[in-house]
């Protein structure tokens, strides 16, 4: 049996990896701000800091309680003679947190960071029109309820993880770095927010023709790729150590796979936009890069570098088409491409594990060992849960929030930009800015 | 007795943490530049690089010699029958540095980085008017004398650390991450610099009414919050391993506490400005975030997450009021809020340790073990030393420097901006900038 | 015999260090973009992301195969009765990569990152005129052939490493952090690219007088110094663990030396420009900082802090003079100073090892132990190889590429800026930009 010992060495390595995760948050924050308008750039960054703060606090207050960790208290229901674990039952305010350097303590640390990463995805979809207070309230719901619930199902010994033991579907649902539990949860929430808010003023002409509203700072967006790169190595390798029994010797492979997937995603997006539009598109290439990272997360420790590159290529293409499809066909205005990058990329990553993963024979995960088959069924179950259960739940919660207090900035406030309207000060008060609006193409 | 072994694992973990500290420096540099004018933005960043460089060199030349480490040579005086250790006596130029992977070697590494962090605080207070050469000279005094002297008292086995053994005041003065020894030392130096330089031209009307001079780039300021976050985890957890006998199992708690304190500080600042001015203030929220980090530093390993969040809330409020008080009441022009963030936040952090810390019973620090009481006396002694001894010393040193060569840019140079006047080139030569000045509100 | 054991602790530490390397790439990318024009800023960043992506993929496809690692399959020729190892023979696509946490696996990881760092140097030399497709193709040649070949000679047990055993020249060619194998290889490629592309339109008047074309964003350039700082500690300390038998106890010294070298380089550049031109030059100081980092790479683990500072001072001076000499005397237009920083700085670092290194008596490197002499001969052999063999090879490869498809943007495209011409969108679409060109000074 090859279950990695949780030694001091692994603790130190895991800490070094978790330390990279805030760089993922920093990168997504810059992508969100850079792909928005200059007149709401300070608001976008202020929103990112507040979202990170609210997510950490909400997760501390009650999120961790619902998520928990295998072996911690949880609620169980019985169905068809099998016991299914559906929600954690830890005390609030981290009062039950083991302070012994155990896997559980490191999980709490990693999760407090990664819940913020998930909460930044909707922020990008709400660029230029989502009120600050509403984004904080929505984040509290995500970090205090939706995220930990699904994370419990995946990483807390919950029913998705039990699909192997209870149902014989491979090792149960697997997601080392959070393609589903972090990214797709963030992505479907981004979709809900974009739906509820509606498109930006001026985004669509009366006949539905979309205007291209370019991001105000491409340098920040592309610089962010370097930060997400590092952040995802932290998410993927840290998650591998904590959730799927990987050891220090697996970390270089995870880092190599993560890098190749990002690289392939960026090049695929650059190539397909070059072919289709005559010129490579910088924003979409940045989205392809991040999409490759997102897609790498589930299977990073279980695939060859060649498979990782292929997963990235497909992610880059999917993100490009999804961005266009949402923008031009579905009329969903997602300025930062969050739905495509985090949602579509994440779901593809979960599926890719079912297709490409080769789990080492001696590894035991979720109580299952060698000889497990039908992993793709467990992955499909997870995808179906995200689309059929998490998406409606997060939509409904945000719809309800919108009923109590409108999430969208007022119609007279939007043209001024969120910076002046909500914060009373612009991001770049000394720079001369073009005031004219963009026109439909 | 529970003194953590300094093992290879702890070395590796400590190295990973110290590697985060330059991100704290990077973050403060961006905050300083972003909260200054565009016409001195290159100067602010150039100043940051030079200050980091001068601090490292000065610390290498003689700083480490005065700071040292418990067990290294030091000078002692006798008072009331007790021996008090007051200054290190290591050879200059790191010639006495143990190259054996010991705690002492890691302390020298961490300190070479954190002395630069301290030296960046005054730079923010001197924004837009402090000459580059003078800021380098002032940094040499700070890094070569003031900082190591106080750090010796705290971390080098000096008299503040001996208050437990000699005086029975708790474990002696405690400051794991440098709320006092790094931040408050930087903060009181920032106060000295702001006093000596005087306010920027145009900051105060003839009747003393202050003008609001907004920072030129809010995106950089808020992005910096992500960097300071990581940097402070490095400072707090690295310092915990090196100075207060914490072990790898304490690192997740330190990281969680640091994060919660920052989050609470940012949200408190956003909330209080929302309540008082009708809109949340982005710059003050960034200052609240960093103030929360600063305040978390002393007690990070000894408090519950709930206490850490409370410390952060109070820090966020204190920073907000202190910024306003200095600006509007005392006529101290501190563009980056350095005095409030690093000075006030740091002193509050030291006090908070006396209030909230619960030191594990078996831990031995500064030669003291379980059963120590009166920790708050030691903390007050440290605060009194910072205000009564370090502040006058750093003021006097900088006053003396000012006598030899004026620290402030000439009156004809200031309106041009420090970029053109001192560096001969602007930060943004291709961008069109508003030339008009800001008016009193 | 004091060869460090490759333990779990060293793995964890090495991973934490390698994680810093992408920050070196991020920093160089910002320096390149910041020292170029605003009208090609998105292109510069897009180029950086694509170069990193292409480098990672090319290295994965075949680069690692040629580089390999001591003990892995390689081709050998016999000369004068001695066997010389000249190229690796690993399978393509990382199929021969050991997945056991061994030194070899960590080398592959580090190299996949550092090959991208090398590939960013030419990008800075080609600022504002190098076509995106051509830079990607050129990177593929660098990462798939030139870099791994030289790296095999140095780090793969190749003939430069064998100069000790076979020829009695010290320990053979030594280069812990890649002053030669990463930086100088990138630097001589930058020189080739600058030669092949020719200067930017408007850079030289008809009589050869150079115009000063200032970088468009000094804040990004100086901020980048903080990122390269961290990245180089990763390169230097990671390389020391992997290539020259250093252990965890050496890491603090490497970090201190790297920092002092950068600090001294920046201050030397600031000082010499202050003396010669009356004002310190911010761009050259940033170049001096990075030049100090580059020069520190070879000998970082084998010199005293005082020697490291001296190496940095000389690097800062060399970079400053080299930039001026190339610009004004040789008519080589290198907007980011890449040739001087990476090429000249790297060669100086290699030589500096021959001058200043004191290798611990018990250390065994490249099969050689105490009592080796003539290290400077091995270093000169490496420098001669870079100038006499790598430079012609990389020039010829890029010249050939240029014959098939011109590397330089068309004459009508250049004045529009690469952003609009090649990407169809500017970096800063909402900001008002000065349109006039710069004039010869």
């Amino acid at each position: 049996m090859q279950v990695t010992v949780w030694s001091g060495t692994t603790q130190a390595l895991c800490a070094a990896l978790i330390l990279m995760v805030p760089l993922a948050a920093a990168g997504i924050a810059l992508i969100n701000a850079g792909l928005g308008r200059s007149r709401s750039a300070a608001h976008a960054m202020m929103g990112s800091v507040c979202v990170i703060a609210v997510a950490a606090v909400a997760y501390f207050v009650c999120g961790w309680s619902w998520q928990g960790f295998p072996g911690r208290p949880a609620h169980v229901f019985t169905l068809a003679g099998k016991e299914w674990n559906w929600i954690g039952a830890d005390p609030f305010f981290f009062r039950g947190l083991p302070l012994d350097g155990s896997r559980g303590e490191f999980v709490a640390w990693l999760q407090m960071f990664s819940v913020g990463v998930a909460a930044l995805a909707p922020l990008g979809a709400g660029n230029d029109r989502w009120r600050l207070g509403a984004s904080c309230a929505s984040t509290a719901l995500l970090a205090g309820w939706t995220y930990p619930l699904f994370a419990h199902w995946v990483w807390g010994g919950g029913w998705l993880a039990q699909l192997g033991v209870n149902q014989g579907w491979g090792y149960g649902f697997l997601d080392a770095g959070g393609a589903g539990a972090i990214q797709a949860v963030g992505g479907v929430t981004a979709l809900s927010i974009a739906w509820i808010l509606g498109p930006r003023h001026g985004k669509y002409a009366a006949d539905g023709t979309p205007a291209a509203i370019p991001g105000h700072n491409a340098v920040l967006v592309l610089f962010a790729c370097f930060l997400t790169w590092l952040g995802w190595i932290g998410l993927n390798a840290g998650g591998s150590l904590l959730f799927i029994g990987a050891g220090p010797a697996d970390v270089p492979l995870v880092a190599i796979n993560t890098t190749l997937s990002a690289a392939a995603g960026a090049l695929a997006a650059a190539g397909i936009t070059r072919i289709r539009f005559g010129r490579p598109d910088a924003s979409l290439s940045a989205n392809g890069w991040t999409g490759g990272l997102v897609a790498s997360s589930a299977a990073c420790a279980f695939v060859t570098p060649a498979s990782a590159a292929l997963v990235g290529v497909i992610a880059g293409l999917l993100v490009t088409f999804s961005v266009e499809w949402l923008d031009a066909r579905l009329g969903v205005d997602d300025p930062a491409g969050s739905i495509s990058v985090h949602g579509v990329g994440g779901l593809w990553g979960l599926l890719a594990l079912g297709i490409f993963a080769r789990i080492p024979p001696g590894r035991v995960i979720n109580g299952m060992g060698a000889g497990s088959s039908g992993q793709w069924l467990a992955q499909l179950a997870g995808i179906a849960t995200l689309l059929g259960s998490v998406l409606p739940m997060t939509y409904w919660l945000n719809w309800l929030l919108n009923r109590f207090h409108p999430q969208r900035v007022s119609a007279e406030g939007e043209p001024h930009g969120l910076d002046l309207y909500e914060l009373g000060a612009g991001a770049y008060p000394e720079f001369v800015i073009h005031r004219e609006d963009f026109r439909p193409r």
Side-chain angles (χ1 to χ4, degrees), chain A residues 261-350:
Chain A
S261 194
L267 294 177
I272 193 75
T273 50
R274 171 77 176 77
I275 289 168
R276 296 186 60 211
F277 311 128
R279 290 190 175 101
D281 186 285
S283 316
L284 287 172
S285 301
N287 277 342
W289 172 277
T290 315
L293 290 172
V294 168
S296 76
S297 285
C300 51
F302 293 145
V303 294
T304 62
S307 296
L310 182 57
V311 169
V313 166
I314 296 173
L317 299 179
L318 281 176
V319 165
T320 312
F321 286 107
S322 167
V323 163
E324 189 181 342
W325 192 62
L326 286 164
D327 187 76
R329 296 278 180 283
L330 296 191
V332 173
D333 184 17
D334 175 10
S338 303
I339 303 165
S340 305
V341 168
H342 300 274
V344 176
L347 294 177
W348 158 238
L350 295 176

Side-chain angles (χ1 to χ4, degrees), chain A residues 38-121:
Chain A
S38 68
R39 61 193 182 196
S40 55
H43 191 274
M45 292 303 298
M46 173 76 171
S48 295
V49 171
C50 289
V51 154
I52 290 288
V54 169
V57 170
Y59 192 79
F60 151 68
V61 171
C62 63
W64 168 253
S65 316
W66 316 130
Q67 178 169 351
F69 192 67
R72 305 281 313 163
H75 295 291
V76 169
F77 66 95
T78 308
L79 186 75
K82 300 269 174 58
E83 293 209 323
W84 301 89
N85 182 326
W86 76 279
I87 191 167
D90 252 63
F92 283 180
F93 298 104
F94 278 158
R95 278 179 296 116
L97 193 68
L99 298 176
D100 51 2
S102 65
R103 260 201 182 86
E105 189 186 8
F106 278 81
V107 167
W109 175 17
L110 170 62
Q111 293 302 298
M112 176 180 254
F113 285 7
S114 58
V115 71
V117 172
L120 287 173

Side-chain angles (χ1 to χ4, degrees), chain A residues 2 11 20 56 78 82 91 109 113 119 122 185 190 233 248 258 276 281 302 306 310 353 356 361 385 392 440:
Chain A
Q2 180 200 10
Q11 284 178 354
M20 298 296 103
T78 308
K82 300 269 174 58
W109 175 17
F113 285 7
V185 166
I233 295 177
T258 306
R276 296 186 60 211
D281 186 285
F302 293 145
L310 182 57
L353 185 143
F356 296 106
T385 306

Side-chain angles (χ1 to χ4, degrees), chain A residues 91 232 257:
Chain A
W232 251 265
N257 283 347

